[in-house]
Amino acid sequence: MACSVNFPVLAKPTSPQPSSSTKPFINLTSPLSSSSHISRVSFCFDVTLAHSRRSSALGLRNKQSPVFSIVAAANAKPEPLRIMISGAPASGKGTQCELITKKYGLVHIAAGDLLRAEVAAGSENGKRAKEFMEKGQLVPNEIVVMMVKERLLRPDSQASGWLLDGYPRSSSQATALEDFGIRPDLFILLDVPEDILVERVVGRRLDPVTGKIYHLKYAPPETDEIAARLTQRFDDTEEKLRLQTHHQNVEAVLAIYEDLTIKIKGDGPKDELFAQIDSALSGLLEQKKATSTSVASGV
C-alpha cells in the first residue's frame, strides 16, 4: 500500500496574533506491508506566507495558504523465497537442495536434521522429543511441527528465505503449518518412475563412519576400504514399503498445495533437473520484485 498523507485545511486566523491552534500540521498514516521499506521520506515546506507576527507586521496576512509537498523515495525489497521440496527416497532431492541453496542462498531446513540438532542442543522441544526417542517411539507431530515453525520464523530464514526439505510429509503436518500462517510460494515435487526408484534405493549403501550414502552402480565408494565397511540400511522389501508410504503421504500433501505445485521429472541428469527448477524459481523471484515495486510506488 502506498503511504497516505492528509493535509487538513485550516481556517484563516481572525486575529493578527496567530495561536498554536492555527499552525498547520501533518497527519501521516502508513499501512505498509512487511515487505515494503520506506528508506527516506523528506518533507519540503514551501511556505510563501506564514501566519506569524512578521507577516502581520508586513501587512501580508492571509494572501496564500501554506503549501506543502512530500517527496518519498522508496527502496523496495522483494520478499524472500519460501520453497518446499518433496521426493521419494533416491529421487535426487538432496542433490537439488544443494544446488538450490547454493544459487539462491536459502536456509536449508530438513526436519530430521532439525530434530537431531534440537535434541543435541537440549532445547525444550529437543528434551520432549528425546523422551520419545529413548523409548523407541516416533516423535509426535505436534513436537516436530513446533520445531519446524520456530526454525522457519528465525531471523535468518525470514531475511534470506527458506527451503523446507521433505516436510510436511502428511496432510496433518501441512494443515498444522497452515494454521500457523506458514505457506510456501512453491511446492516442488521430484517425480521419478517407480522402477527407477527401486533400482536406486536397492543399490544404496551407507558408510557408518562418515554417514555418506553411496550407490553400488551410480556412486560407488572411492576406495576398497570404504567399500568393505558399507552397510545396507534397508532390505529390498523395506525399501519398497518406504516408497509406497511416501506415495500415499505425498498425494495427501499435494491436495493442500495443489495450486502451488510443480512436478519435475526426476529421471534425467541432475543439471537438466536443476535447469527446470531454476527457471521456476527465477520467474517467481521476478514476480516478487515486480510486486514489491508496484506496492512501493502505490500502483
Side-chain angles (χ1 to χ4, degrees), residues 247-267:
H247 292 315
Q248 291 172 346
N249 290 339
V250 78
E251 289 302 322
V253 173
L254 287 178
I256 295 176
Y257 300 122
E258 183 177 6
D259 57 330
L260 305 173
T261 299
I262 61 167
K263 289 186 178 182
I264 304 293
K265 289 195 64 177
D267 54 345

Side-chain angles (χ1 to χ4, degrees), residues 86-102:
S86 179
S91 63
K93 181 165 58 64
T95 298
Q96 295 305 316
C97 284
E98 290 180 7
L99 295 172
I100 292 170
T101 53
K102 182 179 180 180

Side-chain angles (χ1 to χ4, degrees), residues 206-275:
L206 169 69
D207 183 348
V209 175
T210 64
K212 185 176 179 179
I213 300 295
Y214 292 92
H215 192 281
L216 299 180
K217 179 180 179 180
Y218 301 110
E222 296 88 350
T223 66
D224 292 338
E225 180 184 357
I226 296 176
R229 67 183 185 230
L230 295 182
T231 61
Q232 188 172 7
R233 294 193 301 172
F234 306 97
D235 61 26
D236 293 5
T237 302
E238 287 176 310
E239 290 285 14
K240 291 176 181 178
L241 286 174
R242 291 177 68 225
L243 290 176
Q244 183 179 358
T245 300
H246 164 78
H247 292 315
Q248 291 172 346
N249 290 339
V250 78
E251 289 302 322
V253 173
L254 287 178
I256 295 176
Y257 300 122
E258 183 177 6
D259 57 330
L260 305 173
T261 299
I262 61 167
K263 289 186 178 182
I264 304 293
K265 289 195 64 177
D267 54 345
K270 65 179 182 180
D271 292 339
E272 291 183 7
L273 268 63
F274 180 66

